[in-house]
Amino acid sequence: MTNQTDTSTKLTKQDIKKVYTRNLFGLQLGWNYEKMQGLGYAYVIMPVLKRLYGDDPEKMKKALKMQLSYFNTSQPMSHLIVGADMALEEELGIEAEETVMAVKTGLMGPMAGVGDTLFLAIYRAICFSIAAYMAMQGNVVGLIIPLIACAAVLWVRYKFTYIGYKSGRKMATNFSDKLAPVTEAASILGLTVVGALIPSVVSYKTDLAFTMGEVTFAVQTDILDKILPSMLPLAIVMLSYWLLGKKKVNSTRLIFILLALGMLLGNLQNILVFVTGLF
Amino acid sequence: MQEISVWFIALVVLYTAIAVLDQISIQCGIYTPLFAATFVGFLLGDLQTGLIVGATLQLMTLGVATYGGATVPDYLSGAIMGTTYAIISGEGAEYGIALAIPIGLLLTQMDILGRMSNSFFQHYADRCAERGDYKGVERANLLGALPWMLSRMIPVAIGLIFGEVVINSINALIPSWFMVGLKTAGAILPAMGMAILMRYLPLKKHYAYFIIGFVMLAYAGSVFTIMAAALVGFALAALHYMRTQERQAAVQGTQASYGGMVKIDDEEVEIND
């Protein structure tokens, strides 16, 4: 370190803990369409800025402007970036400005990708689906599952802060590669759970029946169940999956499509009776 | 028909405020329709209805998350109002679900409004930064909590205070085929949650695991529970993870790292600018 001039100030453990707590609760309070988490990020990193530039208004101004810039990433992953930022500013002081900017903007994209898959999609698929499945059967105990999982995530986020801090920029980049096999494994778990959920939570069964002379055919039990149990739920899910791949279909539009489908399927027997009555 | 007490409204509005803060911070679950509906059910002494309304909405919205700040329908407020009216009207869980969905969709706009209002605090913070006023920047972020909370608390409060009259009159107009259709829609709507999740997960690459999960519950639903399927999924994931680690270790030759232990201290970080 050649330029270690007047920045002998170091962060205390207390500072890092403060940043961690602010990162948990404050990153998105000021979320807005212009800078997204930009305002929140400045709030999160503020204990560091106060410690390092608290007695130098010029440096503080510079640092505040930089830290208020556009930022948006996955919340749990942001701890790695904040951690690296802390280390860089502690080592290099305000000289680190450009490096910090590069780290922030360079990492927020890839981190968001990994974090949203791991902490949103897979995490929800596992915790909340099990809790909801238990609740569906009238069991309130399942609600503990997300709470336990949340405690685990808080611990992971604490670790992330220190991993980011200890290793600065280099490791923060490497770490996202190391998460790749974990994400891969977690998606396998997620997909197994999703597959299992379909027969148990998409509870549609058709009440359609055909009468041929003396014999009545119940479409559900006599035909569909013999081919593949839960065939209709699977078909509806696959239809939704396919529709979501279309550019014009988002989740809100899909709701309307499914509502219409529900109207149709729920009244299918009546519609058939009506139609056959016409002839 | 049960009466809605002032205490109930106060508690629920307070819950809404905490829930929205949970939604934008640690997401421990208070913000989900599942927790909100259960809470309302508990307050009104009908836990079962709360659980069923909450669980159905939860399954439907499993994949609907605020990725990158996208606005999604406000199923939190929807669940609260839907459950309340399902219980006090005595119409049952399906009614609550059917009510929660349009309310959630309608309130999407409030989320956008709240996020737009926060631009004001961003500008305020920018001005503070010009002066080097870091306390002002902190204040701006904390005040940003207000639009978030109010954008949910106000609709919930209004919905609970005045909604009864409106809902009663709507009820009188709904034909029976429509209610039957809504009931069926309630049964198939969780398909959306599944489908969105599948879009985010690598289904095309790992479809085999999806089939394993499906078959377990479709053919042996009386034996397997979701928990069992999750454990099987975990075992499969662990096998896959071990295999990739071994393959990596083989590629790296002697530098084998069995069991996937990642030693962070191995890599010395040097900043030589």
Side-chain angles (χ1 to χ4, degrees):
Chain A
M1 207 51 62
T2 46
N3 54 352
Q4 189 122 32
T5 47
D6 57 343
T7 53
S8 52
T9 335
K10 290 284 165 202
L11 301 175
T12 64
K13 234 185 151 119
Q14 218 52 45
D15 292 332
I16 298 173
K17 282 204 179 119
K18 262 189 214 161
V19 169
Y20 166 72
T21 316
R22 284 182 177 217
N23 205 345
L24 287 185
F25 297 104
L27 184 63
Q28 299 212 107
L29 290 179
W31 200 102
N32 59 82
Y33 284 113
E34 268 171 65
K35 308 267 177 79
M36 301 206 172
Q37 295 167 344
L39 177 53
Y41 192 96
Y43 174 77
V44 170
I45 202 78
M46 201 63 81
V48 174
L49 303 187
K50 273 191 225 169
R51 172 75 62 202
L52 298 178
Y53 320 123
D55 47 9
D56 190 333
E58 280 313 305
K59 280 187 181 172
M60 183 57 114
K61 263 186 222 173
K62 218 174 154 187
L64 282 177
K65 265 193 197 168
M66 188 233 344
Q67 298 290 21
L68 272 170
S69 57
Y70 178 91
F71 187 76
N72 207 34
T73 193
S74 144
Q75 288 203 74
M77 302 299 285
S78 68
H79 290 258
L80 285 169
I81 301 175
V82 170
D85 181 352
M86 284 197 283
L88 287 169
E89 297 214 38
E90 185 180 29
E91 291 293 329
L92 301 169
I94 199 73
E95 310 294 324
E97 188 186 10
E98 276 175 22
T99 320
V100 170
M101 271 310 267
V103 169
K104 278 173 70 179
T105 45
L107 290 181
M108 66 183 181
M111 291 281 175
V114 177
D116 283 349
T117 317
L118 204 56
F119 292 100
L120 279 179
I122 298 174
Y123 180 77
R124 279 166 164 244
I126 297 165
C127 304
F128 285 105
S129 63
I130 295 174
Y133 172 79
M134 288 172 81
M136 206 75 140
Q137 289 155 347
N139 190 346
V140 77
V141 180
L143 267 66
I144 291 173
I145 294 170
L147 296 179
I148 295 170
C150 174
V153 169
L154 292 188
W155 181 79
V156 168
R157 288 171 76 162
Y158 187 73
K159 285 283 153 201
F160 275 3
T161 309
Y162 274 92
I163 291 171
Y165 177 65
K166 278 192 188 139
S167 38
R169 181 190 160 180
K170 201 174 163 195
M171 262 313 286
T173 324
N174 287 351
F175 196 77
S176 133
D177 300 337
K178 286 194 177 127
L179 272 179
V182 177
T183 310
E184 183 94 337
S187 353
I188 289 175
L189 170 54
L191 277 170
T192 316
V193 171
V194 170
L197 275 171
I198 293 169
S200 32
V201 302
V202 186
S203 53
Y204 175 68
K205 280 184 168 41
T206 181
D207 54 357
L208 216 53
F210 292 107
T211 313
M212 287 178 184
E214 301 277 296
V215 194
T216 307
F217 267 115
V219 174
Q220 183 70 48
T221 50
D222 290 337
I223 303 168
L224 295 177
D225 283 352
K226 296 224 164 107
I227 305 169
L228 176 65
S230 300
M231 189 165 136
L232 289 175
L234 183 65
I236 295 166
V237 171
M238 291 321 286
L239 172 74
S240 311
Y241 176 81
W242 176 73
L243 283 171
L244 282 171
K246 302 272 157 219
K247 263 198 187 123
K248 284 181 184 163
V249 183
N250 55 25
S251 58
T252 309
R253 288 207 177 128
L254 183 58
I255 288 183
F256 286 113
I257 296 171
L258 290 178
L259 281 174
L261 186 65
M263 293 289 158
L264 183 71
L265 292 177
N267 295 291
L268 206 54
Q269 187 74 28
N270 293 340
I271 294 170
L272 274 182
V273 168
F274 177 73
V275 171
T276 45
L278 288 179
F279 300 105
Chain B
M1 189 181 266
Q2 249 176 295
E3 282 287 304
I4 301 182
S5 71
V6 178
W7 280 110
F8 173 76
I9 295 175
L11 273 174
V12 168
V13 170
L14 182 68
Y15 179 92
T16 313
I18 297 168
V20 71
L21 290 182
D22 179 48
Q23 182 179 6
I24 59 170
S25 62
I26 56 171
Q27 303 201 321
C28 73
I30 302 168
Y31 75 100
T32 57
L34 176 61
F35 277 70
T38 306
F39 178 73
V40 170
F42 170 75
L43 282 187
L44 292 176
D46 186 352
L47 198 59
Q48 288 301 311
T49 306
L51 282 170
I52 293 167
V53 174
T56 309
L57 289 170
Q58 189 65 46
L59 290 166
M60 182 187 129
T61 58
L62 269 184
V64 186
T66 53
Y67 297 102
T71 287
V72 293
D74 184 6
Y75 292 114
L76 165 66
S77 310
I80 289 172
M81 289 189 249
T83 313
T84 307
Y85 286 111
I87 294 171
I88 60 164
S89 69
E91 296 264 1
E94 280 95 9
Y95 179 80
I97 297 158
L99 214 58
I101 294 166
I103 294 174
L105 289 171
L106 198 67
L107 291 179
T108 311
Q109 308 305 323
M110 291 302 288
D111 182 68
I112 298 174
L113 192 67
R115 288 167 188 259
M116 271 165 60
S117 317
N118 265 354
S119 287
F120 172 79
F121 296 114
Q122 175 75 44
H123 294 158
Y124 174 74
D126 288 340
R127 283 200 302 279
C128 290
E130 297 285 339
R131 301 193 300 269
D133 174 11
Y134 61 82
K135 285 203 176 116
V137 175
E138 287 184 316
R139 197 160 49 237
N141 189 55
L142 291 175
L143 287 171
L146 286 177
W148 281 112
M149 292 195 284
L150 293 176
S151 65
R152 269 66 167 188
M153 290 163 81
I154 294 173
V156 168
I158 291 176
L160 292 183
I161 296 166
F162 299 108
E164 212 166 345
V165 189
V166 183
I167 283 163
N168 282 344
S169 48
I170 292 173
N171 255 344
L173 294 171
I174 296 178
S176 73
W177 64 266
F178 191 80
M179 282 309 283
V180 174
L182 277 182
K183 214 169 161 176
T184 315
I188 66 172
L189 273 170
M192 184 179 93
M194 308 293 122
I196 298 175
L197 284 177
M198 283 151 63
R199 280 270 155 211
Y200 283 102
L201 296 169
L203 178 71
K204 282 179 183 145
K205 190 174 170 197
H206 291 308
Y207 64 90
Y209 300 100
F210 173 77
I211 297 176
I212 292 173
F214 179 78
V215 168
M216 272 192 280
L217 272 277
Y219 284 92
S222 53
V223 183
F224 280 100
T225 62
I226 292 294
M227 194 51 102
L231 286 172
V232 171
F234 185 80
L236 293 170
L239 286 175
H240 180 87
Y241 184 76
M242 275 187 266
R243 248 183 295 137
T244 47
Q245 290 304 107
E246 272 165 26
R247 213 174 301 149
Q248 256 177 17
V251 170
Q252 284 167 2
T254 47
Q255 281 189 318
S257 61
Y258 292 104
M261 282 297 290
V262 180
K263 277 196 192 147
I264 289 136
D265 295 340
D266 274 2
E267 280 172 61
E268 204 68 42
V269 180
E270 285 176 57
I271 303 163
N272 310 315
D273 283 10

